[in-house]
Every structure is written in structure tokens, then in C-alpha cells.
Amino acid sequence: MFLYILGLVAFWFVFRWYRELARVPNKGQKYVYITGCDSGFGNLLARHLDKLGFRVIAACYTEKGEDELKKVSSERLNTVHLDVVSTDSVSNATAFIKTLVGEKGLWAVVNNAGVSVPSGPCDWMTVDDYKSMLDVNLIGVIGVTLSVLPLIKKARGRVVNVASVFGRISAFGGPYCVSKYGVEAFNDSLRMNMSAFGVKVLCLEPGFFKTSVTDLHLLRKNVKTLWDKLPEEIKDQYGHDYPERANVTLEKNVATLLDGDLMKVVSCMEHAISAVHPRTRYSPGWDAKFLWLPMSYLPTWIADKMLLKDMANPTGSIL
């Protein structure tokens, strides 16, 4: 019996691998709009898709990001300034895209732009801290998507949302996990709404990768900035050596989990855009597949026991 089950599982993986090999035709006529292309995943994806022959529209936050990307790309690639928090900026980018794509419509939008700070224990935060991250990581995703959705429907194309494995499990406090849980919910509801129009909505849930948002210097600075603003009462509750212990844990836990191979994520993005039969969800990164996702399926009382001693105990450390 066990061998029959093993055989069925093996057959399923072979079948899925074969089915996912097929790629969409006419790449040179398909426009792909990517946010957050100044660096990291967005920058690599824009360059990768450009080499594959797609017509890339790379949205950058800075002029420097636009200039650097143009230097290493073909004439097919277009750049546009985008601040996902600004309604005017989103509208201006959409107007540019409409002029560019014409009646063909937009094949795909990749909501990649995001931020990781401020992050820390929930009682260190203010409502404004939550709002600032939600504006980028969630409202920005929704705003950009809705702005180009009519063009996506016209092309019967794709919406690719970059969430996180921490949209499945909250391993630390603050607004980051809240924003990514929101992306997951938006992604699922949009996928159901758009299925009747032939639009595929895909979600990426990466683990820890070595990018600007996981830079240890940035995370240490974030801890210090938040700690310096806290009232003495909260500092006393956590212990005045807490920032030092937090930095040790960052070095110990985050640094060891960081994966430097960003192409693992970019390859999943490319598959979501170009495969005839893309997956509904992608989980790039060994920690996402074998640590965080399995933990998210455990009963809460078990998962909490595994996390609480490091993440929530004021006398312990934090991630």
C-alpha cells in the first residue's frame, strides 16, 4: 500500500513538472509592469524578462534606479517613476502604460515593491507605524493592481503579488506580518473574482533572502530607532539590555537564514508570468518550504510554544 501511495506522489510531481514546462507564445508583444525595480527582486526580474524578450515596464522610485536599469537593458525596456503611496504617481504611471500598450492590454503586473521596517514588538509601535507600512505593502499593492486591472482583463493576463511566508505565520511583531496577511487575502479574493475573465492571480511567499529589506544594518538601526522612542516604563519591562540581545539574535537567526540566491525568487516570478499553467502559490527558499510553512499548519498551541521563547518573552530575545 505504501508503495502505491509513493508511486502516485511521484507520478503527480512528474506530471506537474511536465505540465509546467509550456510557456506562453509571442513574448515580444507582451507588456509586463513591475514595481520596485530600483534593486533586489524587481531589478533582477526586469533584466531577466528583458533578456527573454518581454516588453518590460520597470517602475522605479528613484531616477538613479531608472538610469542604472536602462544602462543594462535593451531598448524594449521602459522605465517609469512610481511611488506606490502616492495616488497621483500611480495614476501618472497608469496613463503612461495605457499609451504604451494600446489595444493589446497589459499581460502582467508584478507587485514587488515593499518595505520591512518599522518592525518590532507590537507594544513598541504606534498606529502611524502600522499605517506607514500598510500604505506601501498592502494599499500600494491594491492601488497599483486596480489602476491597471482593466488593461489586464483586456489581455486576459496575470496579476503576480509578492507576499511573504510571513503572510501565513506571524513569527514577529509589528505591521509587517499584518501587511502580508492582507496581501494574501487580497490575492485570494481577486483570484476568485477574476477567474471568470480569464485573468490568473498568483502569489509568491518567499522566505528570508538577502536583499535591502533584510539588510542587518537596516534592522539594527530599526531596533535602535524604536527603542530610543520608548517610554522608560516599557524599557524597564523589557530590560535595558534588550537592544543588545535583539542584535545578537538578529545575527544568530536572521543572518543564518538569509539566502543569497535571489534567482530562486525571480525564477518563480518568471514562471508565474510566462508559464501556460502557472502555480497558484510559490514558496521560494528552503526556510519557507521546510520551516515556516510547515509550522503554519501546526496547531496554534504548538507553533506558539516554538516561537514564544524567542519572539515574545521580554526576558528572552527577539527575531
Side-chain angles (χ1 to χ4, degrees):
M1 184 65 179
F2 175 75
L3 290 177
Y4 284 116
I5 295 173
L6 192 63
L8 286 172
V9 171
F11 174 78
W12 162 247
F13 278 104
V14 171
F15 171 74
R16 188 179 71 169
W17 168 79
Y18 180 76
R19 186 171 183 265
E20 291 178 350
L21 289 176
R23 294 293 191 268
V24 295
N26 304 319
K27 294 183 179 68
Q29 298 178 22
K30 288 180 166 57
Y31 287 87
V32 180
Y33 176 30
I34 310 166
T35 69
C37 290
D38 295 81
S39 62
F41 300 133
N43 186 276
L44 282 176
L45 178 65
R47 291 156 55 184
H48 183 61
L49 293 182
D50 181 52
K51 289 177 182 176
L52 291 178
F54 284 95
R55 302 191 70 86
V56 176
I57 306 167
C60 297
Y61 185 67
T62 64
E63 282 188 30
K64 180 182 178 182
E66 292 186 60
D67 293 339
E68 293 297 321
L69 193 52
K70 286 177 180 176
K71 289 177 184 177
V72 294
S73 306
S74 74
E75 293 181 355
R76 286 188 306 273
L77 183 140
N78 287 273
T79 62
V80 62
H81 169 72
L82 179 67
D83 177 359
V84 298
V85 174
S86 167
T87 303
D88 289 340
S89 181
V90 172
S91 297
N92 290 338
T94 303
F96 171 75
I97 292 167
K98 283 181 179 177
T99 303
L100 197 62
V101 304
E103 292 303 312
K104 292 186 179 72
L106 181 65
W107 174 249
V109 59
V110 181
N111 286 300
N112 166 72
V115 294
S116 61
V117 294
S119 287
C122 295
D123 56 346
W124 290 21
M125 300 289 159
T126 66
V127 171
D128 287 338
D129 291 327
Y130 276 82
K131 286 180 178 178
S132 66
M133 187 175 288
L134 289 170
D135 280 345
V136 178
N137 288 3
L138 178 57
I139 304 303
V141 169
I142 296 171
V144 168
T145 301
L146 296 182
S147 73
V148 295
L149 199 54
L151 300 175
I152 298 282
K153 289 166 73 176
K154 184 179 288 187
R156 296 174 68 86
R158 314 277 170 90
V159 177
V160 182
N161 294 315
V162 181
S164 168
V165 72
F166 298 115
R168 294 288 199 99
I169 183 170
S170 292
F172 45 87
Y176 184 80
C177 295
V178 176
S179 69
K180 294 303 183 178
Y181 270 74
V183 171
E184 294 274 356
F186 174 65
N187 185 87
D188 289 349
S189 59
L190 185 68
R191 185 182 66 251
M192 291 186 290
N193 294 159
M194 291 296 104
S195 62
F197 300 99
V199 173
K200 291 181 169 63
V201 181
L202 304 321
C203 188
L204 270 81
E205 301 169 338
F208 278 113
F209 282 85
K210 195 172 183 178
T211 67
S212 58
V213 299
T214 56
D215 178 69
L216 285 177
H217 174 73
L218 174 72
L219 298 178
R220 290 192 204 97
K221 183 179 178 182
N222 163 72
V223 171
K224 184 179 186 307
T225 300
L226 292 174
W227 181 262
D228 288 345
K229 293 191 298 183
L230 291 177
E232 288 301 316
E233 180 184 0
I234 293 181
K235 290 181 179 180
D236 290 339
Q237 291 168 357
Y238 278 85
H240 284 263
D241 64 338
Y242 194 79
E244 288 74 22
R245 288 186 283 114
N247 286 329
V248 169
T249 304
L250 285 171
E251 285 283 353
K252 177 183 173 184
N253 292 355
V254 177
T256 56
L257 289 173
L258 287 179
D259 191 331
D261 185 5
L262 304 191
M263 285 304 297
K264 290 178 182 176
V265 177
V266 172
S267 295
C268 291
M269 290 172 161
E270 182 262 315
H271 191 271
I273 293 161
S274 65
V276 174
H277 302 290
R279 299 182 189 180
T280 301
R281 279 184 166 84
Y282 298 82
S283 301
W286 71 267
D287 60 319
K289 287 184 176 70
F290 302 115
L291 176 61
W292 304 114
L293 276 180
M295 195 182 295
S296 73
Y297 291 111
L298 293 173
T300 303
W301 66 273
I302 297 177
D304 283 357
K305 280 189 176 181
M306 296 171 70
L307 293 169
L308 277 175
K309 66 183 181 67
D310 285 333
M311 314 310 174
N313 184 354
T315 62
S317 55
I318 65 170
L319 180 66

